């Protein structure tokens, strides 16, 4: 059993305010009915349930929240937002938290981020996604070389995954430039792209 | 007693006893600190607040006026604040035409429990008034004289062609005459270029009836005095609207009036005609043609083309034909769609607030306080009991000051809110030619804009906007007090 | 005029930030002021005595007190001056506490402001006139709208107090929602058994006239003298002949008629008597499903009826009653829970409302009191109760707590166990609200003795799993985990809203109602059964969520108010009402048109139409005064001149 | 009838069959799909998961192309693309946000974007149930189907505008017009596990498992989907799901366009049915059987 959370010390009102500002939600209206958790399809892999994340935000427990795996495992299906009796867009809060965490370089579940990067890399390269490319890059990044190997033969037999990347006719430079500018701006603003 | 110089401005509050006054108490009980400028007058209901109290205050030295009542739907008297909302909003839109900044007047809703809201309201409003600074005083303004531009194009044909149908009309009147006390119309005045009212009792009288551009008077003004008696009346389009409005206000009964109408082709702006004629000993002749009249005075010919010399109201007129009539003669005339800002109002619109106040300062100095405007107004039904010269209620002093005179014009205008048909008799009757019609026109415009383009005197059964309300007003919105 | 001014220090409340002595001194300079003083506590006994003394000593004919808000002590001081022989309306107050000393820190500004407010009061007073109240008769008869338990209680108490009662009930029988309940918490005694006798008393009480299957059409008049139009809806059965034998209901061929009384848990016949203990026990034909009306031929009931009471061509009837007071007890309805698509939006037969469950549990219900599933008639083993469905839920526009769901849910869980010993009940709750006497103990029993599983959390969704059960996806926030239950039956504690038509009735009664149609009491704490319309009182849930004991208590409270009102033979009318100066009146009818109370009528005076104020109806809002262009109608004590005097006192360039 | 068309990346890869059947069905209905020239990836989940502005920029480029093509309405088969494009368009209504996004683009995006909607709504807009029924050559009579929309199509309602967010019924109306019997499928908007198949297999396995379990329980002949990712998770990953649920599934998962195509009498190979991992042969036989049955009578 770890020590009690020292609210007088750990409470960070500025964090709560920041989350509310970025997500455009008023978290104080949450009365912890748990409906978000009850409907969450990803809850079973969370370390903290959605309502607990919301509670954490209410209490301004920045570390508890931003270091949690949950914000990385959120499927963004917005079931929580849809059913919240207080009309809070919980999914927006989760996404905001994820963004805040990334910008501070807190990545509780690196493999998820690695997957995203792999995906975006192929988009940068070809302007469009390219499953095999994504997979390959991801396997390298995550060193999980056997990801979905069981599916590969099936998938290939069914020509689910094309071997040729599908490039934008006339080149993907435009897309690459978007990515580039994004990276540069992030650097300028001192946040992690 | 003067306000504390430098510290305070003069702010008057009218608060309803049930909600807002209680809200102010609640704020006090909560020790919710507020600026000290505001002086509160307690009234039973926001519906009790006659907009004229507010104008009175603003013309007499108040720098700001605040009215507060129960929230809509919560009125202790069920609907008082619904009426207040409409009347106060109309006032808000009227003040600028006098040259008064409408930000100096505000109304809102505060419930007895909303102490904090009250504190917010008072603080914000007081700050607003302090930003605006002390209100300019009418008597400090430098008189400014400006003329309305009368170079106008009209929405309907102007001319003098329709006299043909006059005989037909006369026959109709003669036929109906036996059943009627009398029929009101026009006859030639002291010369061919002027008319006076005609009260036809015999067929001979009927032959005196004339029709044309000199028929400027509005005969409807005589109707209320005949209330209860069967009378006939010959009307131009604008006159007919006055008749309708009188019916609408239950001041005459439909079964008592028989309305005879010819399509109007516009009437002359007699002020300008007389000006052009100048001094003359006699009118030799008046000849009509399609487009206007030629008056020969002392052998000198003066041509008056209707399109140039009609009354300002005629150009924007959309009802040359009577809106209600029992007998119509003559050829219907076509009216183009659209609307015009009347020249007098356009003149005011073109001025800044300061200029407007200066303008009225100048105009009111010329006012003789003869009340010709009032007596010519067909809607002035109070007659001998006009509040302007009564002691109970004692709205006005008899002091001959520009302020009191402008206040009288305001009384007239506000009493005409939603009622004025824009017949312009007040202005025409003014012996010194003050464009007072502009004040009535601004009210009419405000009422139209707020209440689905309502125009007075078109429908005898319509409820006048200021005698009704909507739970949710389409065009009136609660202001926030952030 | 000789005016005396008293500037109250109110201890340091005013004296602290206002120089009262200086204000008094300034006041001495005001016109007609012949005496001014600054006592420490004006409202205290010596303070009042000083006023009386001054009135005598200085022959004052008007008094101004500058102290706290008139909403507090105006009546007090009016009595004071009255004791000294002045008319109570020859008195004015200046509020220099709530509006000055308590909100301003700057003593100079406060003092100046206080002096101005005193000036204001003096100027007003100089225009005051003595006013005398008029008194009028009271019709000692009360209308009670709604025959639920609250209305029944109010009716019985009034009737026992000797007051004739008109009881109007929209449904065919009185009893309201309570009559539909199987048992009641926390005693778990039979609802019908405790309500039944009261219903019978209503039927038998000589002072009560019952109009069932009727609605209030229109209300006019004022306290002491209301005129009420009541629409008696056509029952197509002549109740004077109907004996309630029920022969017709047995023979009626349209047996598929939806049964509103049973919350549509089972069918009934087109001609029906709601339930065995119905009061009045009379048959009613549901024309929408009766073959005679739908197909134009049948007539079975007419043939079978031993007393020939059936009359297919019956029409609605309007009756008029004169009453002196009205009690509104219109109760509630359940909100439309089918907006919850995640709970099946009403498509799943075994997801039902708590009220439907009551009917299923009730011995007089469609299943004879056997708890079975609507879908297949099987006995449920696992029953899930979900609270706050349509309560405390902004997303469906119902942010308020429905008050009694926590308790009846516990009761239903207990009863479920009683009916089906081997069943297991689960209750999803957010908070358990059990503040009443023996209430919390009861919910604890549900847990401790009846083994009900209380799970702290909402339910996200319900769906049929394909083999006759329902998957309930919930959460246990105490555990911090989502939970899932396979249930045979799901009972929703559906939130309440004001009963249908409440806003319309409120408009007829001229009482205000909140955003959800609940009627507004005139003070949340101190006037819980009064309304802002004199003579109209509230009882039961129509004023806000409350359980049976509270509704009964409020019913009695409303009755007490009625009896107190009727204890006097005459009522006094407030003299602060509008008066017409007939010389000025041109009978344009503008005042008549906009008076919110219909208090102005047109009368003929010397052959001329004139407006005339009905003194007892006028409420004194002054809307007419602000409307009349010629100032012919003036509101006493707030005339144009009185207000102008105040404006002029403040604004004179 | 002509629409601008944004196929989305998967159309060129994992869901070529969706693309094929969409084209076939639209052709049959006389709906012409004009592919946006040089369109790029919408960024899918990763982009908005990483940064909203980046995601919006990727989408804005496509919307900008559509605007320049003077398209009125852009159709896309993929709910994920649809969601991203619509979100981007909505967010760009905020000037500050738009400014931030424009910074990332070569040239500021067009002031007004054409509306983007799903192929399904596009079809429904042009043809009502009767018109669809009129196209049917091989009625799906006797075929029990579960319509599965996934979580993105109808949510959030204020952005997606796809009927009731909990209980959309558009697919049902289209397919019942084709004669199929549509069961009330309560999990129609549940989440399948989305793109987590790669980083967190159990996520897709569990969630897809729950859906397949109910579908099997309800005894449907197939689950009909409108989303490439859903199809992949329910079909290609069906084994993984079965393993996780410790059950056995043999549930064909078809795109609604494939289903409609069959009803329109289009040959399976032209609908890319061979790409299905769980074969639909039984389903096909059932349809033909029904036809035969019809023939007998």
């Amino acid at each position: 059993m770890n020590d009690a959370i020292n609210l007088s010390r750990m409470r960070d009102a500025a964090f709560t305010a920041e989350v509310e500002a970025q997500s455009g939600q008023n978290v104080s209206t949450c009365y912890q009915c748990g409906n978000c958790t009850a409907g969450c399809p990803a809850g079973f892999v969370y370390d903290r349930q959605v309502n607990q994340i919301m509670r954490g935000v209410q209490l301004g427990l920045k570390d508890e929240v931003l270091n949690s795996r949950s914000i990385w495992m959120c499927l963004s299906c917005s079931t929580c937002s849809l059913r919240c009796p207080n009309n809070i867009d919980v999914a927006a809060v989760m996404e905001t938290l994820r963004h805040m965490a990334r910008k501070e370089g807190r990545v509780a579940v690196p493999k998820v981020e690695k997957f995203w990067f792999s995906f975006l890399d192929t988009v940068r390269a070809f302007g469009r996604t390219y499953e095999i490319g994504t997979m390959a890059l991801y396997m390298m990044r995550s060193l999980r070389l056997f990801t979905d190997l069981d599916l590969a033969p099936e998938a290939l037999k069914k020509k689910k995954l094309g071997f040729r990347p599908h490039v934008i006719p006339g080149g993907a430079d435009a897309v690459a430039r978007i990515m580039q500018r994004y990276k540069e701006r992030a650097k300028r603003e001192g946040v992690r792209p | 007693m003067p306000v504390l110089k430098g510290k305070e401005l003069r702010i008057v509050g009218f608060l309803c006893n049930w909600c807002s006054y209680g809200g102010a108490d609640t704020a006090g009980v909560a020790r919710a600190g507020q600026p000290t400028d505001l002086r509160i007058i307690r009234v039973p209901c926001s519906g009790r607040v006659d907009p004229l109290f507010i104008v009175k205050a603003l013309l007499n030295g108040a720098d700001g006026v605040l009215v507060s009542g129960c929230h809509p739907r919560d009125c202790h008297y069920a609907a008082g604040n619904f009426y207040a909302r409409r009347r106060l909003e109309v006032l808000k839109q009227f003040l600028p035409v006098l040259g008064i900044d409408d930000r100096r007047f505000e109304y809102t809703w505060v419930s007895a429990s909303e102490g904090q809201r009250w504190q917010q309201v008072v603080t914000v409003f007081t700050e607003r008034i302090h930003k605006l600074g002390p209100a300019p005083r009418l008597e400090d303004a430098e008189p400014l004289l400006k003329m309305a531009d009368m170079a106008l194009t009209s929405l309907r044909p102007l001319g003098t062609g329709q006299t043909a149908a006059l005989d037909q009309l006369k026959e109709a009147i003669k036929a109906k005459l036996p059943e009627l006390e009398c029929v009101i119309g026009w006859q030639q005045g002291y010369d061919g270029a002027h008319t006076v009212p005609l009260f036809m009792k015999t067929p001979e009288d009927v032959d005196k009836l004339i029709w044309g551009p000199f028929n400027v008077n509005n005969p409807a003004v005589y109707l209320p005095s005949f209330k209860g008696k069967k009378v006939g009346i010959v009307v131009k389009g604008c006159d007919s609207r006055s008749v309708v409005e009188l019916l609408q206000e239950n001041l005459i009964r439909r079964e008592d009036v028989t309305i005879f109408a010819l399509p109007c082709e516009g009437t002359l702006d007699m002020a300008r005609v007389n000006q052009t004629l100048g001094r003359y000993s006699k009118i030799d002749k008046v000849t009509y043609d399609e487009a206007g009249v030629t008056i020969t005075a002392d052998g000198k010919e003066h041509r008056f083309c209707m399109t140039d010399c009609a009354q300002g109201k005629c150009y924007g007129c959309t009802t040359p034909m009577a809106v209600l009539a029992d007998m119509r003669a003559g050829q219907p005339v076509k009216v183009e769609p659209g609307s015009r800002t009347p020249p007098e109002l356009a003149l005011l619109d073109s001025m800044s607030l300061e200029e407007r106040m200066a303008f009225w300062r100048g105009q009111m100095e010329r006012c003789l306080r003869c009340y010709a405007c009032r007596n010519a107004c067909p809607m002035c039904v109070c007659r001998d009991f006009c509040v302007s010269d009564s002691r109970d209620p004692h709205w006005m002093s008899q002091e001959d000051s520009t302020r009191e005179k402008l206040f009288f014009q305001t009384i007239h205008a506000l009493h005409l809110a939603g009622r004025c048909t824009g017949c312009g008799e007040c202005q025409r009757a003014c012996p010194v030619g003050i464009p007072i019609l502009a004040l009535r026109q601004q009210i009419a415009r405000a009422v139209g804009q707020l209440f689905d383009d309502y125009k007075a005197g078109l429908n005898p059964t319509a409820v006048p906007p200021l005698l009704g309300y909507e739970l949710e007003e389409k065009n009136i919105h609660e202001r926030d007090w952030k | 005029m000789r005016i005396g001014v008293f500037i109250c220090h109110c201890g340091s409340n005013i004296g602290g930030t206002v120089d009262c002595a200086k204000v008094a001194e300034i006041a001495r300079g005001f016109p007609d002021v012949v005496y001014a003083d600054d006592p420490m506590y004006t409202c205290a006994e010596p303070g009042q005595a000083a006023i009386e003394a001054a009135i005598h000593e200085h022959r004052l004919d008007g008094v101004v007190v500058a102290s706290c808000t008139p909403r507090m002590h105006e009546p007090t001081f009016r009595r004071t001056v009255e004791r000294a022989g002045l008319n109570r309306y020859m008195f004015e107050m200046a509020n220099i506490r709530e509006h000055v000393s308590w909100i301003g820190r700057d003593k100079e500004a406060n003092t100046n402001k206080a002096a101005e407010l005193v000036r204001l009061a003096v100027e007003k007073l100089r225009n005051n006139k003595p006013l005398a109240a008029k008194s009028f008769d009271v019709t000692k008869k009360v209308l009670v709208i709604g025959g639920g338990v609250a209305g029944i209680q109010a009716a019985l108490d009034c009737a026992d107090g000797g007051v004739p009662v008109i009881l109007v009930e929209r449904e065919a029988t009185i009893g309201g929602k309570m009559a539909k309940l199987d048992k009641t918490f926390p005693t778990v005694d039979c609802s019908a058994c405790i309500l039944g006798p009261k219903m019978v008393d209503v039927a038998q009480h000589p002072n009560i006239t019952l109009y069932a299957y009727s609605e209030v059409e229109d209300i006019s008049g004022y306290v002491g003298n209301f005129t009420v139009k009541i629409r008696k809806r056509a029952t197509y059965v002549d109740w004077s002949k109907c004996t309630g034998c029920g022969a017709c209901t047995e023979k009626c061929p349209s047996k598929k008629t939806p049964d509103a009384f049973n919350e549509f848990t089972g069918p009934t016949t087109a001609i029906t008597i709601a339930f065995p203990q119905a009061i009045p026990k009379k048959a009613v034909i549901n024309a929408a499903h009766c073959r005679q009306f739908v197909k134009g031929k049948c007539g079975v009931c007419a043939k079978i009826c031993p007393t020939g009471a059936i009359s297919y061509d019956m029409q609605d009837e309007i009756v008029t009653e004169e009453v002196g007071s009205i009690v509104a007890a219109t109760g509630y309805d359940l909100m439309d829970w089918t907006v919850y698509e995640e709970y099946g939006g009403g498509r799943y037969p075994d997801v039902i409302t708590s009220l439907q469950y009551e009917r299923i549990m009730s011995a007089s219900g469609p299943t004879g009191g056997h708890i079975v599933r609507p879908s297949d008639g099987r006995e449920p083993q696992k029953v899930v109760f979900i609270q706050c469905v349509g309560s405390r839920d902004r997303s469906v526009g119902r942010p308020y707590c429905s008050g009694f769901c926590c308790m009846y849910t516990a009761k239903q869980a207990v009863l479920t166990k009683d009916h089906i010993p081997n069943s297991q009940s689960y209750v999803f709750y957010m908070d358990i609200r059990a503040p009443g006497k023996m209430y919390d103990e009861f919910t604890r029993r549900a847990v401790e003795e009846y083994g009900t599983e209380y799970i702290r959390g909402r339910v996200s969704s319900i769906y049929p799993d394909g083999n006759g059960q329902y998957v309930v996806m919930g959460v246990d926030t105490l555990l911090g985990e989502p939970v899932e239950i396979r249930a045979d039956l799901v009972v929703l504690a559906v939130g309440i809203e004001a009963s249908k038509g409440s806003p319309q009735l409120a408009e007829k009664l001229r009482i205000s109602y909140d955003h959800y149609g609940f009627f507004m009491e005139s003070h949340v704490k101190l006037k819980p059964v009064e309304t802002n319309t004199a003579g109209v009182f509230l009882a039961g849930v129509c004023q806000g969520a409350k359980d049976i004991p509270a509704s009964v208590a409020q019913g009695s409270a409303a009755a007490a108010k009625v009896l107190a009102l009727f204890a006097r033979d005459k009522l006094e009318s407030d003299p602060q009402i509008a008066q017409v100066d007939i010389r000025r009146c041109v009978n344009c009818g503008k005042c008549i048109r906009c008076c919110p109370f219909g208090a102005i009528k047109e009368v003929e005076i010397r052959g001329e139409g004139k407006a005339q104020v009905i003194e007892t109806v006028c409420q004194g809002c002054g809307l007419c005064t602000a409307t009349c262009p010629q100032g012919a109608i003036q509101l006493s004590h707030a005339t144009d001149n009185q207000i102008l005097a105040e404006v002029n006192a403040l604004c004179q360039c | 009838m002509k629409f601008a068309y944004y196929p989305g990346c998967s159309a060129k890869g994992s869901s070529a069959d969706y693309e094929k059947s969409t084209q076939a069905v639209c052709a049959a209905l006389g709906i012409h799909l004009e592919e946006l020239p040089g369109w790029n990836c919408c960024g899918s989940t990763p982009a908005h998961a990483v940064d909203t502005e980046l995601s919006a920029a990727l989408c804005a480029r496509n919307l900008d192309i559509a605007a320049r093509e003077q398209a009125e309405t852009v159709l896309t088969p993929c709910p994920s693309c649809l969601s991203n494009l619509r979100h981007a368009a909505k967010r760009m209504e905020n000037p500050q946000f738009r400014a931030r996004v424009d910074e990332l683009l070569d040239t500021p995006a067009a002031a007004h974007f054409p509306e983007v909607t799903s192929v399904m709504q596009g079809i429904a807009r042009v043809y009502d149930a009767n018109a669809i029924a009129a196209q049917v050559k091989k009625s799906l009579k006797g075929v029990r189907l579960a319509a599965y929309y996934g979580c993105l199509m109808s949510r959030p309602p204020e952005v997606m505008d796809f009927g009731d967010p909990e209980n959309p019924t558009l697919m049902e109306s289209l397919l019942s017009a084709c004669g199929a019997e549509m069961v009330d499928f309560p999990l129609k908007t549940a989440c399948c596990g989305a793109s987590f198949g790669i980083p967190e297999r159990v996520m897709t396995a569990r969630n897809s498992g729950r859906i397949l379990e109910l579908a099997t329980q309800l005894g449907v002949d197939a689950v009909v989907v409108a989303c490439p990712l859903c199809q992949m998770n329910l079909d290609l990953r069906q084994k993984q799901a079965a393993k996780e649920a410790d059950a056995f599934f043999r549930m064909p998962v078809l795109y609604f366009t494939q289903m409609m195509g069959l009803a329109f009498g289009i040959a399976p190979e032209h609908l890319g049915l061979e790409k299905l991992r769980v074969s639909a042969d039984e389903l096909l036989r059932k349809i033909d059987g029904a036809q035969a049955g019809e023939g007998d009578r």
Side-chain angles (χ1 to χ4, degrees), chain C residues 295-371:
Chain C
K295 295 207 173 61
K297 61 175 193 304
C298 175
V300 173
C301 49
K303 285 188 209 72
I304 208 75
C305 178
T307 62
I310 311 298
S311 94
Y312 295 118
D313 50 12
M314 186 184 274
Q315 297 294 327
D316 286 9
E317 182 191 347
I318 303 282
V319 293
T320 304
E321 293 279 359
E322 303 289 336
V323 299
S325 177
I326 301 174
V327 175
T330 48
Y332 68 96
D333 281 313
L334 297 187
M335 64 91 66
D336 172 19
W337 72 275
T338 58
V339 297
Y340 287 87
E341 280 291 340
E342 59 268 46
Y343 295 171
R347 296 193 304 281
Y348 310 147
D350 300 323
V351 178
I352 61 175
T353 71
S354 46
L355 210 46
Q356 289 176 319
Y357 196 51
E358 289 289 340
R359 293 317 298 154
I360 289 176
M361 290 191 297
S362 165
S364 66
T367 61
H370 302 298
I371 299 181

Side-chain angles (χ1 to χ4, degrees), chain D residues 188-206:
Chain D
K188 59 170 71 168
T189 61
C191 178
C192 65
S195 60
F196 275 66
I198 296 171
E200 189 76 18
R201 173 182 300 187
V202 60
M203 193 90 94
T204 48
R206 280 264 187 103

Side-chain angles (χ1 to χ4, degrees), chain B residues 423-475:
Chain B
C423 73
E425 284 294 90
C426 46
Q427 178 168 311
R428 188 192 56 78
C430 179
V432 292
I434 303 175
I436 45 177
L437 182 55
L439 298 176
R440 287 73 174 165
Q441 289 164 337
Q442 172 55 27
I443 286 273
R445 178 165 66 180
V447 168
Q449 285 165 347
L450 287 171
F451 311 113
D452 306 324
D453 204 15
Y454 178 88
K455 289 191 181 56
L458 292 183
N459 169 6
T461 58
V463 178
L466 296 191
L467 295 182
Y469 63 85
E470 295 284 336
L471 295 186
E472 302 291 337
E473 295 287 358
K474 224 182 289 122
N475 307 324

Side-chain angles (χ1 to χ4, degrees), chain C residues 422-482:
Chain C
N422 61 345
S423 66
Q424 175 62 56
S425 295
Y426 303 84
V427 177
F428 283 95
Y429 72 100
M430 289 199 290
D431 304 284
I432 300 177
R433 300 191 166 173
K437 192 176 182 180
M438 297 300 292
Y439 283 13
D440 198 62
E441 296 89 324
F442 183 74
T443 58
R444 290 315 305 163
R445 270 176 63 210
V447 176
E448 294 159 13
E449 293 172 32
Y450 290 83
T452 311
E453 288 301 351
Y454 268 74
I455 304 165
R456 202 277 169 195
R458 258 185 191 268
V459 167
S460 175
S461 67
I462 308 168
Y463 66 88
D465 69 350
N467 1 337
Q469 284 192 309
Y470 293 84
V471 182
V472 179
M473 309 259 292
V475 61
D476 186 327
T477 57
L478 305 180
L479 202 60
E481 289 298 330

Side-chain angles (χ1 to χ4, degrees), chain C residues 96 157 398 406 456 468 478 604 609:
Chain C
I96 61 169
D157 289 354
R398 291 289 181 282
C406 289
R456 202 277 169 195
L478 305 180
E604 179 111 340

Side-chain angles (χ1 to χ4, degrees), chain B residues 66 106 108 117 120-121 124-125 478-482:
Chain B
L66 177 65
E106 199 53 86
T108 187
R117 177 175 161 86
Q120 182 78 357
V121 167
V124 171
F125 186 69
E478 168 71 23
R479 321 193 176 21
D480 68 353
W481 291 92
K482 296 292 154 295

